[in-house]
Amino acid sequence: AFRDVWTDMPPSVTRCVLDLHGTDFIDSSGLGMLVDLHRHLGGREIRITRCSPHVSRILRIAHFDRKFLLDG
């Protein structure tokens, strides 16, 4: 599961890249998981890449561009 990947991430990992290619929709549960990831990783860089235009729009409306680096 998604959560298992980042809860076991060692502190030596300083950045995380999430490739959302093929994700056409994200709901409040998905947004909540991203918030949990941001909290858990603290000040580490988190980049979200290859979003569909629809997902990118949702992330920007929810101001996720303030917490994550968004690459379209």
Side-chain angles (χ1 to χ4, degrees):
F2 178 68
R3 185 171 291 168
D4 295 334
V5 172
W6 55 262
T7 55
D8 295 333
M9 193 176 296
S12 60
V13 175
T14 59
R15 62 186 168 149
C16 177
V17 178
L18 300 173
D19 183 342
L20 295 185
H21 176 73
T23 304
D24 297 320
F25 179 78
I26 189 165
D27 62 9
S28 60
S29 296
L31 295 175
M33 289 297 293
L34 292 175
V35 169
D36 287 347
L37 171 68
H38 184 265
R39 271 193 214 123
H40 183 77
L41 296 183
R44 296 184 242 184
E45 177 184 304
I46 304 168
R47 181 175 299 274
I48 300 174
T49 64
R50 302 193 335 154
C51 297
S52 70
H54 181 73
V55 170
S56 182
R57 183 170 179 263
I58 291 170
L59 293 173
R60 291 179 198 286
I61 288 171
H63 301 291
F64 276 54
D65 53 335
R66 296 179 185 172
K67 297 178 187 248
F68 303 90
L69 300 172
L70 301 181
D71 295 338

